[in-house]
Amino acid sequence: MNEFIVKLADERGRVQEQTHAAATAEELRSRFTQAGYLVYSVKPRSTLGRSAKKKVKLDIFLIFNQQFLTLIRAGLPILSSLDLLAKRQKDLSFRAQLEDVGGRVKTGESISSAFEAQGTVPLVYTTTLLAGERSGNLEEVLQRYLDFQRVALTFRKKLRASLIYPAFLIVMVIGLFTFLITFVVPRFASLYAQMGTKLPTLTLWLLALGQNAQKYGLYVAPVLVLIGYLVLRWSKSEAGADLIDRVRIKTPVLGTVWLKYQVGLFSRTLATLLTGGLPLVPSLETAARSIESRSIARAVRVSVETVREGKGLAVSLERTGVFPELSIEMIEVGESTGALPQMLNSVAEFFEEDVQTSLAAIMSLVEPIILIAMGVVVVIVLIALYLPIFSLNGVGG
């Protein structure tokens, strides 16, 4: 299947451009003509155009889905609901995507594949829609998706809020140190140069650091920015992302917190898909592609093969050696009692609460450590700067 950009006009004369998949341009033109559109042009979609679409912000996407669900429950047809919400959408990029989805649905495409073609919405969402279409219960699966995303969004906001103050302190330490080295120290260097006295080693080292910072700072800053950019690019490559993920998981204390967070996210995603009526194997495959941690995603994909062979989910995940033992035991209980989705939600709730507790404990230690480090830096700089003055006073006495 190829993708084409179609320029057309509807029955009201509104001209718009949409992206659709088809075997040939003629097939696509015929499809829209039969649907009552006036087709101006059908052009192959370039790679450049494909990368122009922006990811939908989660907050905006949740609001849209809440309104979409409300309209459907009120009895409005899906196509009318999409058209209405597209007109009211203030985000121009998302509005264009909704118009494209509406155009695809109007030509007979399913709503799940229409959203999937945008390439900007979460994979869990399109899979959830697909499950709702197959079961004929779109309203219920949409509600479950909204519940899932609300919990996940709230959890992420709490995590970010807990990291704001430590990040602010770190920036303050770096800013204070930069100010002392580039502004305060050079003025003392001029003072001591006029005095012509012998300076302690600590003072000489600090003055040399300040002079070098003033002399080479303008050259070092662009180099650091370039290194940061190259590292960021490398981190998005396959090798870089794998290495960073392995290091992140093996980091003492924080690695365990990251692992639990990812396991909680996997459990909640899988529970949402299973509750929507999707079979276990497709649910596992979708959940694996929705996880940020490559190590856990790889372990889930390995477990899929074991599940296909007839093994239980708990046994399959245990063989990977990645998942915490407690999560395996809880999943095993859920399988044996026939309440796997409910137990997966319990796993997610347990690990999310554990992550919040662990982060709160870590932050309660990090904040005083940063403050102590800030104090130590200031004290060392002040001692190094004023030590020669104290020495002169001692000699004079």
Side-chain angles (χ1 to χ4, degrees):
M1 299 288 282
N2 301 312
E3 288 196 335
F4 299 90
I5 298 176
V6 186
K7 186 177 182 180
L8 48 80
D10 60 15
E11 64 276 3
R12 297 181 181 177
R14 293 178 300 179
V15 180
Q16 53 186 296
E17 284 190 351
Q18 300 177 1
T19 305
H20 292 272
T24 62
E26 289 74 18
E27 175 192 328
L28 198 58
R29 183 184 293 273
S30 174
R31 186 198 308 173
F32 276 102
T33 302
Q34 291 176 4
Y37 288 95
L38 175 61
V39 181
Y40 289 103
S41 64
V42 180
K43 299 178 181 178
R45 186 182 181 188
S46 64
T47 305
L48 181 62
R50 192 173 303 167
S51 61
K53 285 189 177 181
K54 295 190 301 182
K55 288 284 185 182
V56 183
K57 292 182 179 179
L58 187 56
D59 289 350
I60 295 175
F61 194 57
L62 286 181
I63 292 172
F64 157 74
N65 276 287
Q66 182 61 66
Q67 295 171 337
F68 186 42
L69 178 60
T70 302
L71 292 175
I72 292 175
R73 282 179 171 169
L76 207 64
I78 289 177
L79 192 54
S80 302
S81 302
L82 288 171
D83 289 340
L84 178 61
L85 294 175
K87 292 175 185 175
R88 299 183 60 183
Q89 181 56 238
K90 295 180 180 180
D91 187 300
L92 297 180
S93 175
F94 189 37
R95 179 193 296 177
Q97 294 173 38
L98 289 178
E99 289 174 350
D100 184 50
V101 169
R104 288 171 178 270
V105 173
K106 197 174 289 186
T107 60
E109 197 169 338
S110 68
I111 187 172
S112 59
S113 62
F115 270 107
E116 185 178 8
Q118 306 309 307
T120 58
V121 300
L123 177 64
V124 177
Y125 179 71
T126 55
T127 311
T128 301
L129 287 180
L130 179 61
E133 288 169 343
R134 288 178 177 176
S135 63
N137 202 351
L138 188 61
E139 295 178 19
E140 187 177 338
V141 296
L142 270 176
Q143 184 62 61
R144 288 202 188 100
Y145 174 78
L146 284 167
D147 295 340
F148 159 69
Q149 284 294 7
R150 283 199 195 100
V151 173
L153 186 61
T154 303
F155 182 62
R156 279 198 290 269
K157 285 182 176 179
K158 287 182 180 178
L159 290 184
R160 289 172 185 167
S162 66
L163 297 174
I164 289 176
Y165 184 59
F168 173 74
L169 289 179
I170 291 173
V171 171
M172 286 292 294
V173 170
I174 296 173
L176 177 63
F177 184 73
T178 303
F179 172 75
L180 291 174
I181 295 300
T182 59
F183 185 79
V184 177
V185 171
R187 278 156 178 73
F188 275 85
S190 302
L191 173 64
Y192 292 141
Q194 294 173 4
M195 293 172 58
T197 58
K198 186 178 180 181
L199 301 176
T201 304
L202 180 61
T203 306
L204 288 172
W205 177 83
L206 189 63
L207 294 179
L209 180 62
Q211 290 170 346
N212 289 330
Q214 270 199 330
K215 189 181 298 183
Y216 302 111
L218 293 177
Y219 302 101
V220 172
V223 171
L224 292 177
V225 171
L226 178 61
I227 291 174
Y229 172 74
L230 293 176
V231 170
L232 182 63
R233 289 288 301 271
W234 173 77
S235 67
K236 293 181 179 179
S237 65
E238 287 292 327
D242 282 339
L243 179 60
I244 290 173
D245 187 61
R246 287 198 299 269
V247 171
R248 189 186 292 168
I249 288 180
K250 292 181 180 178
T251 303
V253 183
L254 290 176
T256 304
V257 175
W258 171 250
L259 178 64
K260 290 177 179 178
Y261 170 64
Q262 290 294 301
V263 170
L265 180 61
F266 160 76
S267 301
R268 193 171 291 283
T269 304
L270 185 59
T272 302
L273 294 171
L274 289 175
T275 308
L278 210 64
L280 179 57
V281 170
S283 298
L284 283 170
E285 292 172 340
T286 302
R289 284 183 283 173
S290 305
I291 301 172
E292 188 177 348
S293 172
R294 288 173 171 258
S295 299
I296 298 178
R298 194 178 299 114
V300 174
R301 285 194 291 269
V302 170
S303 70
V304 168
E305 301 303 320
T306 314
V307 170
R308 279 200 178 105
E309 295 171 0
K311 303 291 183 182
L313 177 60
V315 174
S316 303
L317 293 176
E318 186 178 18
R319 288 184 179 181
T320 64
V322 174
F323 281 74
E325 185 177 349
L326 180 60
S327 66
I328 299 296
E329 292 176 355
M330 293 177 72
I331 290 172
E332 188 175 6
V333 171
E335 283 185 303
S336 61
T337 57
L340 182 57
Q342 293 85 344
M343 187 56 73
L344 284 167
N345 276 322
S346 299
V347 172
E349 290 170 3
F350 176 81
F351 280 107
E352 286 167 357
E353 186 176 347
D354 194 0
V355 166
Q356 290 183 12
T357 305
S358 301
L359 275 181
I362 293 170
M363 292 305 123
S364 66
L365 294 176
V366 167
E367 291 169 11
I369 289 173
I370 294 174
L371 291 174
I372 291 171
M374 183 188 298
V376 169
V377 168
V378 173
V379 168
I380 291 176
V381 170
L382 292 178
I383 289 175
L385 293 178
Y386 284 98
L387 194 58
I389 298 176
F390 296 151
S391 301
L392 288 175
N393 289 337
V395 172

Coordinates of all heavy atoms in Angstrom, one line a residue, residues 15 68 113 120 127 145 168 234 282 346 397:
V15 N -12.6 23.0 0.3 CA -11.5 22.3 -0.3 C -10.5 21.9 0.8 O -10.3 22.7 1.7 CB -10.7 23.2 -1.3 CG1 -9.5 22.5 -1.9 CG2 -11.7 23.7 -2.4
F68 N -15.4 13.4 22.5 CA -15.8 12.4 21.5 C -16.7 11.3 22.1 O -17.7 11.0 21.6 CB -14.5 11.7 20.9 CG -14.8 10.8 19.7 CD1 -15.7 11.1 18.8 CD2 -14.1 9.6 19.7 CE1 -15.9 10.2 17.7 CE2 -14.3 8.7 18.6 CZ -15.2 9.0 17.6
S113 N -8.0 2.3 12.0 CA -7.0 2.4 11.0 C -6.8 3.9 10.5 O -5.7 4.3 10.1 CB -7.3 1.5 9.8 OG -8.5 1.9 9.2
T120 N 0.6 9.7 14.8 CA 0.8 10.7 15.9 C 0.1 10.4 17.2 O 0.3 11.1 18.1 CB 0.4 12.1 15.4 OG1 -1.0 12.1 15.1 CG2 1.2 12.6 14.2
T127 N -5.1 0.5 19.1 CA -5.3 -0.9 19.4 C -6.6 -1.1 20.2 O -7.4 -2.0 20.0 CB -4.2 -1.6 20.2 OG1 -3.0 -1.3 19.5 CG2 -4.3 -3.1 20.3
Y145 N -9.9 3.5 28.1 CA -8.7 4.2 27.6 C -8.5 5.5 28.4 O -7.4 5.9 28.8 CB -8.7 4.4 26.1 CG -7.5 5.3 25.7 CD1 -6.3 4.7 25.5 CD2 -7.7 6.6 25.4 CE1 -5.2 5.4 25.1 CE2 -6.6 7.4 25.0 CZ -5.3 6.8 24.8 OH -4.3 7.5 24.5
F168 N 16.0 22.5 40.5 CA 16.2 23.9 40.8 C 17.5 24.1 41.6 O 18.3 25.1 41.4 CB 15.0 24.5 41.5 CG 15.2 25.9 42.0 CD1 15.1 27.0 41.1 CD2 15.3 26.2 43.3 CE1 15.3 28.3 41.5 CE2 15.5 27.5 43.7 CZ 15.5 28.6 42.8
W234 N 23.0 10.7 19.5 CA 23.4 9.3 19.7 C 22.5 8.5 20.6 O 22.2 7.3 20.4 CB 24.8 9.3 20.4 CG 25.3 7.9 20.8 CD1 25.8 6.9 19.9 CD2 25.3 7.4 22.1 NE1 26.1 5.8 20.7 CE2 25.8 6.1 22.0 CE3 25.0 7.9 23.3 CZ2 26.0 5.3 23.1 CZ3 25.1 7.1 24.4 CH2 25.7 5.8 24.3
P282 N -1.7 -10.4 21.0 CA -1.7 -9.1 20.5 C -1.6 -8.0 21.5 O -0.9 -6.9 21.3 CB -3.0 -8.9 19.7 CG -3.5 -10.4 19.5 CD -2.9 -11.1 20.6
S346 N -3.8 -4.3 39.8 CA -3.3 -4.3 41.2 C -1.8 -4.2 41.2 O -1.2 -3.5 42.0 CB -3.8 -5.5 41.9 OG -5.2 -5.6 42.0
G397 N 50.6 41.3 62.8 CA 50.5 41.2 64.3 C 51.8 40.8 64.8 O 52.1 41.2 66.0

